[in-house]
Amino acid sequence: MCHVIVTCRSMLWTLLSIVVAFAELIAFMSADWLIGKAKPSSSEDVDNRTGGSQEPYHPTLGIYGRCTRISHMQFSRRDTLCGPYAENFSEIASGFWQATAIFLAMGIMILCTVAFVSVFTMCVQSIMKKSIFNVCGLLQGIAGLFLILGLILYPAGWGCQKAISYCGPYASAYKLGDCSLGWAFYTAIGGTVLTFICAVFSAQAEIATSSDKVQEEIEEGKNLICLL
């Protein structure tokens, strides 16, 4: 018989697992890993409402995508265009970034799998006589290691020609040049830290769902067990 067990710690672990997976996925897909040096305003960059020139634009560069400003000659209007600069994996700007993409993708796939499984831990607490929380925690630890490897390798690619075109001639491995780090990089770091927190917290979720209080309510014949 299936017992639905919901505790404060197990629910918090489930929500945190989902948040971490989405955060890493959004960061990976974003083009805001590097913020390039400002592009100087031209005579076309005029704010029609104020008559003054607009602020210089900062293009952004991601692992496989970029955002840049394109000019429409008609009406002298400028729009931001975002999309992948690499049509396939081999066109990613640096071998280090290719390795970063592989490690991050593997970590994110594991995190998304754990996030999906975590939803069902309310009904299923063990698999093949092993705690599903402990198994998921182990997988999150492995995912965290993949994410760390990806984030360590990523700055090694700052010396590629693509990064130099955004960050200036002084950009090199682990040196940003004229660029600065975007929110996606910091989000990926924060998500990695939270991944290890999830891995540790999974043990607390397992303890909460197998506590004596839960066992007592199961013995009383309750199918829905909610504990704070």
Side-chain angles (χ1 to χ4, degrees):
M1 181 181 296
C2 177
H3 295 90
V4 178
I5 303 174
V6 180
T7 69
C8 182
R9 282 178 283 180
S10 65
M11 184 58 65
L12 182 59
W13 173 77
T14 297
L15 293 176
L16 195 57
S17 297
I18 294 172
V19 169
V20 166
F22 273 103
E24 289 290 349
L25 181 60
I26 292 172
F28 178 73
M29 296 175 63
S30 172
D32 290 322
W33 284 71
L34 286 179
I35 302 175
K37 61 181 181 180
K39 301 295 184 182
S41 299
S42 65
S43 59
E44 294 179 353
D45 293 326
V46 178
D47 193 323
N48 294 327
R49 292 172 294 182
T50 63
S53 60
Q54 296 179 348
E55 293 183 359
Y57 175 71
H58 293 267
T60 60
L61 179 65
I63 297 173
Y64 64 90
R66 55 90 181 97
C67 285
T68 188
R69 179 173 288 179
I70 58 175
S71 176
H72 297 270
M73 298 305 296
Q74 188 179 11
F75 308 122
S76 296
R77 181 169 61 87
R78 286 178 176 264
D79 287 336
T80 300
L81 177 65
C82 295
Y85 67 81
E87 294 184 359
N88 53 64
F89 180 78
S90 63
E91 293 183 359
I92 293 177
S94 167
F96 290 108
W97 287 4
Q98 291 176 353
T100 295
I102 291 173
F103 285 123
L104 291 185
M106 292 175 66
I108 291 169
M109 286 178 61
I110 295 173
L111 290 179
C112 289
T113 301
V114 171
F116 178 77
V117 172
S118 68
V119 177
F120 297 96
T121 56
M122 292 183 292
C123 295
V124 181
Q125 288 78 44
S126 63
I127 180 171
M128 297 178 66
K129 297 182 179 181
K130 294 185 181 296
S131 169
I132 197 167
F133 295 102
N134 292 340
V135 172
C136 287
L138 176 61
L139 290 175
Q140 286 174 327
I142 295 172
L145 294 177
F146 282 132
L147 296 176
I148 287 177
L149 287 173
L151 292 174
I152 290 175
L153 289 173
Y154 172 70
W158 291 346
C160 69
Q161 191 58 45
K162 190 74 173 179
I164 290 174
S165 67
Y166 277 72
C167 304
Y170 298 105
S172 61
Y174 297 95
K175 293 183 179 179
L176 281 170
D178 296 325
C179 282
S180 59
L181 293 172
W183 66 265
F185 182 79
Y186 293 112
T187 300
I189 292 177
T192 302
V193 174
L194 288 176
T195 296
F196 286 105
I197 292 176
C198 282
V200 173
F201 198 68
S202 65
Q204 293 299 316
E206 195 275 333
I207 292 172
T209 55
S210 60
S211 65
D212 292 338
K213 182 64 175 177
V214 171
Q215 297 303 317
E216 289 175 3
E217 299 209 10
I218 291 176
E219 292 174 359
E220 292 175 2
K222 294 182 180 179
N223 293 327
L224 176 59
I225 302 169
C226 296
L227 298 175
L228 296 178

